[in-house]
Amino acid sequence: SSAVTQDPAVSVALGQTVRITCQGDSLKNYYANWYQQHPGQAPILVIYGKNNRPSGIPDRFSGSTSGNTASLTITGAQAEDEADYYCFSRDTSGHHWVFGGGTKLTVV
Amino acid sequence: QLQLQESGPRLVKPSETLSLTCTVSGGSISSSSYYWGWIRQPPGKGLEWIGSKYHNGITYYNPSLKSRLAMSVDTSKNQFSLRLNSVTASDTAMYYCASLGSSAWYKDSWGRGTLVTVSS
């Protein structure tokens, strides 16, 4: 399959660490970019490439890849991190881009 | 820092053509560092990649939209455009233009998006 898949929902206690994952064969060859989207707002890029944060993104956000799984880790989750998170990468052909279905993160 | 801005009609009638333009500032659309792309998000749903175009003319389209889709670039205006024909209500979405890094070294940038509604 050329798709990438995410768990629909994840929860984390305030201040704890959470990992949001994205699986797909293409991730063996391509990094995943990660987007955060709050309700009613445009997505914002939080991680790109191997593990790069755009300016203004807190360092509690980090990215990694192992095999066919890309992960976004939030170390010390804050209330404002509650949002939808999408992974975005190429498909196995490299000629198309694909989004994961999104993970709704709840901070409790 | 690239900045992108979408423009175009916000209301399109069923069976007609949706046309959007993205104006790029802060960099050249002839750059080899980026693909120029479109992404959309129907209300209450996830993100969908529509298509991407490279400076050398190579164009990739989402297979599910390919038969209705055309993308073009105007280097003189530093703009790129999207045309989606035979639209239906299911094409109602927030449409975003984006610069997509051609390698992992380059950061994606998106416009703020424009809501296009398909309705008679």
Side-chain angles (χ1 to χ4, degrees):
Chain A
S1 169
S2 60
V4 290
T5 59
Q6 300 179 240
D7 291 329
V10 172
S11 63
V12 61
L14 184 68
Q16 296 303 301
T17 297
V18 62
R19 178 176 292 179
I20 298 170
T21 60
C22 177
Q23 287 191 305
D25 288 341
S26 65
L27 299 177
K28 296 176 184 176
N29 297 311
Y30 299 101
Y31 290 114
N33 291 349
W34 289 93
Y35 286 86
Q36 176 194 66
Q37 186 178 34
H38 289 107
Q41 298 184 22
I44 62 169
L45 183 67
V46 293
I47 292 290
Y48 68 99
K50 187 175 183 180
N51 181 20
N52 302 301
R53 282 177 291 104
S55 61
I57 301 301
D59 61 6
R60 63 179 179 271
F61 290 88
S62 63
S64 61
T65 303
S66 178
N68 72 339
T69 301
S71 300
L72 172 70
T73 300
I74 307 174
T75 304
Q78 302 299 302
E80 60 265 32
D81 299 334
E82 185 164 290
D84 292 326
Y85 290 86
Y86 294 90
C87 63
F88 183 47
S89 186
R90 307 273 192 116
D91 73 354
T92 50
S93 74
H95 294 166
H96 304 112
W97 281 254
V98 289
F99 283 98
T103 297
K104 182 176 182 60
L105 176 67
T106 301
V107 180
V108 299
Chain B
Q1 176 83 354
L2 284 173
Q3 294 187 322
L4 299 94
Q5 176 68 57
E6 304 87 352
S7 59
R10 307 294 176 90
L11 181 64
V12 182
K13 290 182 170 55
S15 80
E16 296 191 346
T17 297
L18 182 159
S19 296
L20 293 173
T21 296
C22 183
T23 301
V24 180
S25 58
S28 172
I29 203 164
S30 299
S31 170
S32 62
S33 300
Y34 300 98
Y35 286 83
W36 306 102
W38 293 93
I39 290 153
R40 71 180 183 179
Q41 185 173 35
K45 296 188 178 181
L47 296 163
E48 179 181 35
W49 170 75
I50 297 172
S52 301
K53 195 170 184 68
Y54 201 40
H55 72 98
N56 61 3
I58 290 177
T59 307
Y60 300 123
Y61 294 141
N62 186 320
S64 69
L65 299 170
K66 185 176 181 178
S67 64
R68 302 192 288 132
L69 194 54
M71 289 180 58
S72 60
V73 169
D74 186 337
T75 54
S76 68
K77 295 181 179 178
N78 225 36
Q79 295 177 332
F80 61 101
S81 298
L82 166 74
R83 288 175 59 86
L84 181 67
N85 61 35
S86 305
V87 297
T88 68
S90 63
D91 293 310
T92 294
M94 185 71 79
Y95 284 77
Y96 299 96
C97 63
S99 59
L100 305 179
S102 59
S103 81
W105 295 106
Y106 301 111
K107 178 176 73 73
D108 297 349
S109 297
W110 291 32
R112 292 186 176 182
T114 187
L115 178 62
V116 179
T117 301
V118 178
S119 174
S120 55

